[in-house]
Amino acid sequence: MPFLDLNLTTHFWCAESHRLFPEAVYREARLAGNTVIYDEPVHAVITLQSDGLIEIAGMSGSMMFGVTPEMFGAPRVDPDGREITADCSSVRLRLEPFAANRRKVRAAAAVSSSALSPA
């Protein structure tokens, strides 16, 4: 079963703290020093087609004020080993078993319904 793991927030929390944003940011959000902030939320447009084709149109973003985790000694990856980035890759794939199984289900349903029909 394919799945998409997408960080849809606008920031990533870091245990290490920094003072790399303009001072006005810290006046508005005192814990901002424990984050790297994406310029926009990471997102993707996903298109599912009945023939099993899945298209994921990703995006390429940037970090607010150019602040990245490695600039203040934080890891470049999250605890699960995923890179902390404001990007989402694009991909196109086809689930062949999906299309084949759908035909089998339709054929089984046709047989079942004809067996239930009065003679």
Side-chain angles (χ1 to χ4, degrees):
M1 174 57 107
F3 68 93
L4 176 65
D5 184 8
L6 186 61
N7 176 5
L8 298 174
T9 64
T10 58
H11 71 283
F12 186 83
W13 181 263
C14 301
E16 295 82 2
S17 185
H18 65 80
R19 297 296 285 184
L20 299 171
F21 296 139
E23 281 305 311
V25 173
Y26 300 102
R27 284 193 295 274
E28 293 295 319
R30 65 182 178 85
L31 297 177
N34 285 92
T35 65
V36 289
I37 303 171
Y38 308 140
D39 276 330
E40 63 180 306
V42 177
H43 59 276
V45 175
I46 302 171
T47 305
L48 307 172
Q49 296 184 6
S50 61
D51 64 355
L53 181 67
I54 300 173
E55 294 179 294
I56 301 172
M59 51 85 68
S60 183
S62 58
M63 305 303 255
M64 190 173 288
F65 305 112
V67 176
T68 63
E70 58 267 1
M71 291 173 72
F72 55 96
R76 182 68 179 156
V77 295
D78 71 10
D80 294 318
R82 297 169 295 203
E83 186 177 7
I84 300 167
T85 179
D87 302 320
C88 177
S89 299
S90 295
V91 67
R92 181 182 170 137
L93 58 103
R94 182 176 307 279
L95 297 178
E96 291 300 334
F98 174 81
N101 286 336
R102 191 180 69 222
R103 284 190 292 274
K104 289 178 188 174
V105 168
R106 279 189 193 155
V111 169
S112 295
S113 64
S114 65
L116 296 175
S117 299

